[in-house]
Amino acid sequence: MKIIMLGAPGAGKGTQAKKIAEKYGVPHISTGDIFRANIKAGTELGMKAKGYMDQGLLVPDEVTIGMLLDRIHQDDCEKGYVLDGFPRTIPQAESLTKALAEMGEAIDFAIDVDVPDENIISRMSGRRACLKCGATYHTQFAPPAKEGVCDVCGSELVLRDDDKPETVKNRLKVYHEQTQPLIDYYKEKGVLHTVDGTQTMEAVFQSITEILGA
Ligand code: ADP
Ligand code: AMP
């Protein structure tokens, strides 16, 4: 089962991708998480990505595509995966389609988590992230048991630099210009499904499981 999550930054892609991964037993692959892990570890890839991420811009396709294709060729991806944050440009989608076609495969579901821009800024300013294990919380909608502390690993929770309102505005602009066209790309391939992302997290997940099947 190969799934792509589409939607604006903060729409809830990561939240839902984690639940899908758990229920269907496939890896959750977030390009944003991979970049953040590389930044934390001080790798060359992380240094390349950081400047773009801090400004709310996309990391160039030359860096991102190879990294993602390497990841989906690993053994744990044999039964499928849920991609969160990739593809974000038409060239990324085309590279993925081509790489899969070479193996006689294709994406099964592209799920667009639809949330209007008005809701995004408040979603993002309340998001708290654990940079150690990747868990995500929301001060209002999904608070941790103890304020500022990750339930999973006990590390400190932070407001990501790129979740500050001025950067979120840039990210939304980039989303509309470069990523939203992917909705039509996957519609034409007959695999697009749209869910109303303004519902509660549980209701969004229920809509997704109805699409994916038990
Ligand atoms: P994305 O991966 O699309 O950037 P996230 O899954 O990290 O988005 O969600 C962004 C923020 O909104 C997080 O703080 C998350 O806890 C919260 N969130 C996710 N889904 C919902 C929802 N359905 N209702 C309210 N808040 C949500
Ligand atoms: P995310 O965690 O998905 O919100 O991504 C955080 C940031 O990482 C984005 O704003 C981009 O700068 C970068 N990024 C993540 N995925 C991609 C991608 N597929 N292409 C380009 N940049 C990406």
Side-chain angles (χ1 to χ4, degrees), residues 57-70:
L57 300 173
L58 296 184
V59 179
D61 287 344
E62 305 82 80
V63 177
T64 309
I65 292 172
M67 176 184 91
L68 187 278
L69 294 182
D70 281 350

Side-chain angles (χ1 to χ4, degrees), residues 22-55:
E22 196 178 319
K23 179 169 164 94
Y24 295 92
V26 290
H28 164 213
I29 301 176
S30 154
T31 39
D33 282 353
I34 299 175
F35 286 134
R36 281 184 288 277
N38 275 277
I39 291 172
K40 202 159 177 249
T43 68
E44 199 180 319
L45 177 70
M47 314 238 237
K48 274 190 200 154
K50 188 172 186 321
Y52 298 100
M53 291 173 74
D54 285 348
Q55 294 178 69

